[in-house]
Amino acid sequence: LLQIDFEDVIAEPEGTHSFDGIWKASFTTFTVTKYWFYRLLSAIFGIPMALVWGIYFAILSFLHIWAVVPCIRSYLIEIQCISRVYSICIHTFCDPLFEAMGKMFSSIRATVRKEI
């Protein structure tokens, strides 16, 4: 996913490269150093970090499967009755009020004039 090239770090424009030998040696040094340090860091920290991230995602999956989803589903089941009562109240009281207000204000016309 992340690939860093020599040109991304050492950004000499096309027309202004240093001496060819210096440029090639710098490129080789950068590439080899990046390659071997990545391998060294992976060898030292790869297994411990894999262990840490494995534990973290196992805990996250466990909590999601056994706590979060059941709580959400339980809440949705319990709130369903209240939502039906709320919906009936809204349709009974608010819909006629807003329809009447809409009919009252539908005959209002506004015009905009620009005076110079």
Side-chain angles (χ1 to χ4, degrees), residues 9-84:
V9 178
I10 309 297
E12 286 185 343
E14 279 299 316
T16 57
H17 283 290
S18 54
F19 295 113
D20 283 340
I22 301 292
W23 180 257
K24 288 177 186 176
S26 299
F27 176 80
T28 304
T29 303
F30 175 83
T31 306
V32 170
T33 303
K34 181 182 80 163
Y35 177 76
W36 282 104
F37 263 89
Y38 177 78
R39 285 187 155 197
L40 177 68
L41 291 171
S42 295
I44 294 170
F45 297 110
I47 293 175
M49 290 304 295
L51 179 69
V52 167
W53 285 113
I55 292 170
Y56 173 75
F57 282 109
I59 292 170
L60 193 64
S61 297
F62 175 81
L63 290 175
H64 185 74
I65 292 168
W66 291 101
V68 174
V69 172
C71 284
I72 291 172
R73 289 196 179 159
S74 171
Y75 173 75
L76 291 175
I77 290 169
E78 293 169 6
I79 202 75
Q80 186 176 12
C81 177
I82 295 171
S83 72
R84 285 186 182 165

Side-chain angles (χ1 to χ4, degrees), residues 76-94:
L76 291 175
I77 290 169
E78 293 169 6
I79 202 75
Q80 186 176 12
C81 177
I82 295 171
S83 72
R84 285 186 182 165
V85 171
Y86 178 76
S87 176
I88 290 170
C89 289
I90 292 295
H91 289 303
T92 302
F93 299 111
C94 293

